[in-house]
Amino acid sequence: MKITVLDGHGLNPGDVSWDGIKAFADEFTVFDRSPQELVVERIGNSEIVLLNKVHITKEIVENCPNLRYIGVLATGYNVIDTAACRERGIIVTNIPSYSTNAVAQHVFSFILHFTNQVASHSVSVHDGGWISNPDFCYWLSPLTELSGKTLGIYGFGHIGQKVAEIAHSFGMKILVHAHSAESFEKAKKSLSFDSSAITMVSVDELFKESDFISLHAPLTHETKNLVNSKTLSLMKKSAYLINTARGGMICEKDVRDALDSGKIAGYATDVLLEEPMSKDCPLYKAPNCVITPHLAWAPKETRLRLLGIEIENIKAFLAGKPINVVN
């Protein structure tokens, strides 16, 4: 059994072990990164290929006759031509629900950045601001309590539900736009608090009424460019937008225009339309814009959980009972 990892550095820059996956292989190779032009060559006669962001096209599939299984080391699998894989009998799996806690935590790191301004005040103190100040305290910008504020959650899967639970602990009001009323009611039953505190609303209501909006849906035809000049115009000027879902859910130019004109108070994102970031990205150096480099999923505990799920995926595949199949 030959197993090849095409872009292992994102998951494992050296602080976790591949041994659990290596145990399945007679030959095991890890490439930190693989340019598209080398993908066929590097897959070679591998039966199992693991990847994160490398694209697997129909042409690649046709030129790798030994390939039997592709394990996507992430939840999203849009980089794979799943139809082409299905036609050739190649199983494709993903890693569901591994990053729920980490991503929800990152959402609130963004929210608390806007409300408490910890970093800017720490910089001010280290620049001598407190030494020269005549008062025992000072603040550079208004500070905000979350209690009583309204959080709008677009998408109510595992991450959206976890975000709701954290928001509830802060005393926030919670509005949700879910895929359907049926899925909303089903999700409410799994919450750890009184779900009567959550209200399902339309997209327009979500953007109009929320003090913070957090996006938690996959990128589909329905959600592509969900955030645009129209939906942004519905938001309060004091409202903040948080995106830990997919860069394609927003029109970056429209968000930049809204930030430049003060139509919204701020935008925080862990994802962009083009990754790595391009110098031509409309959000580059935008005002009141916080950008992290797609790291919400990256705590070590989270990556170890991901690896554990992939080990179970491979084990099930080899036993002839594949799980987490997406094609």
Side-chain angles (χ1 to χ4, degrees):
M1 176 66 66
K2 182 177 180 181
I3 300 178
T4 298
V5 183
L6 290 174
D7 55 345
H9 185 270
L11 170 61
N12 182 11
D15 59 345
V16 298
S17 172
W18 292 109
D19 285 354
I21 291 175
K22 189 176 181 180
F24 295 111
D26 299 305
E27 184 179 345
F28 180 69
T29 305
V30 178
F31 296 99
D32 281 346
R33 302 166 187 85
S34 290
Q36 283 299 133
E37 63 270 20
L38 294 181
V39 170
V40 171
E41 176 186 330
R42 289 184 172 182
I43 291 175
N45 60 353
S46 302
E47 291 125 316
I48 291 178
V49 166
L50 307 181
L51 56 87
N52 196 317
K53 294 293 182 286
V54 173
H55 288 254
I56 300 296
T57 63
K58 182 177 181 180
E59 290 72 26
I60 289 172
V61 169
E62 290 174 346
N63 283 282
C64 298
N66 281 15
L67 191 56
R68 296 168 52 204
Y69 170 94
I70 298 172
V72 182
L73 300 172
T75 302
Y77 51 90
N78 56 300
V79 295
I80 310 294
D81 187 332
T82 53
C85 289
R86 184 169 57 249
E87 288 174 10
R88 298 187 70 88
I90 299 169
I91 295 293
V92 181
T93 67
N94 75 337
I95 312 289
S97 304
Y98 74 95
S99 63
T100 299
N101 292 335
V103 175
Q105 176 180 313
H106 203 71
V107 168
F108 276 87
S109 74
F110 280 149
I111 290 174
L112 294 170
H113 166 85
F114 288 127
T115 59
N116 290 60
Q117 299 288 326
V118 171
S120 60
H121 284 93
S122 178
V123 169
S124 174
V125 169
H126 284 288
D127 283 345
W130 206 1
I131 294 172
S132 61
N133 197 285
D135 301 313
F136 78 96
C137 74
Y138 70 97
W139 50 92
L140 303 173
S141 56
L143 306 177
T144 304
E145 276 193 5
L146 287 179
S147 181
K149 297 297 185 293
T150 299
L151 174 65
I153 302 174
Y154 185 96
F156 207 48
H158 293 296
I159 297 174
Q161 292 166 42
K162 188 66 178 181
V163 168
E165 291 184 358
I166 299 172
H168 180 74
S169 71
F170 274 108
M172 301 183 78
K173 301 174 184 176
I174 304 165
L175 302 178
V176 169
H177 180 80
H179 180 66
S180 67
E182 182 181 1
S183 64
F184 175 67
E185 292 300 326
K186 182 178 179 180
K188 281 171 54 174
K189 295 177 182 177
S190 64
L191 297 175
S192 62
F193 63 95
D194 182 5
S195 60
S196 64
I198 302 180
T199 305
M200 183 173 172
V201 296
S202 68
V203 173
D204 284 2
E205 287 178 281
L206 192 81
F207 278 83
K208 284 179 182 177
E209 302 298 329
S210 300
D211 297 302
F212 299 87
I213 297 173
S214 192
L215 306 179
H216 298 289
L219 183 62
T220 64
H221 291 299
E222 180 185 0
T223 63
K224 185 178 180 180
N225 287 332
L226 168 78
V227 179
N228 52 49
S229 58
K230 177 181 179 295
T231 48
L232 288 164
S233 70
L234 301 174
M235 292 177 65
K236 304 174 185 178
K237 287 188 175 182
S238 58
Y240 297 91
L241 179 65
I242 313 293
N243 185 7
T244 55
R246 288 289 181 264
M249 289 184 70
I250 75 152
C251 174
E252 292 178 344
K253 182 182 182 304
D254 289 354
V255 171
R256 177 62 189 257
D257 290 343
L259 291 169
D260 284 342
S261 63
K263 288 182 179 178
I264 61 173
Y267 177 58
T269 186
D270 188 51
V271 289
L272 294 174
L273 186 60
E274 181 182 345
E275 298 175 353
M277 186 183 202
S278 163
K279 64 180 180 180
D280 298 321
C281 175
L283 297 173
Y284 186 47
K285 297 186 178 181
N288 301 317
C289 181
V290 179
I291 304 174
T292 53
H294 206 140
L295 52 73
W297 69 285
K300 185 175 181 179
E301 299 88 343
T302 314
R303 289 180 286 115
L304 284 170
R305 186 179 303 116
L306 187 159
L307 271 173
I309 296 171
E310 182 54 44
I311 288 169
E312 294 303 312
N313 282 355
I314 295 174
K315 188 183 298 183
F317 165 73
L318 293 176
K321 299 179 180 179
I323 57 175
N324 297 321
V325 177
V326 296
N327 70 330

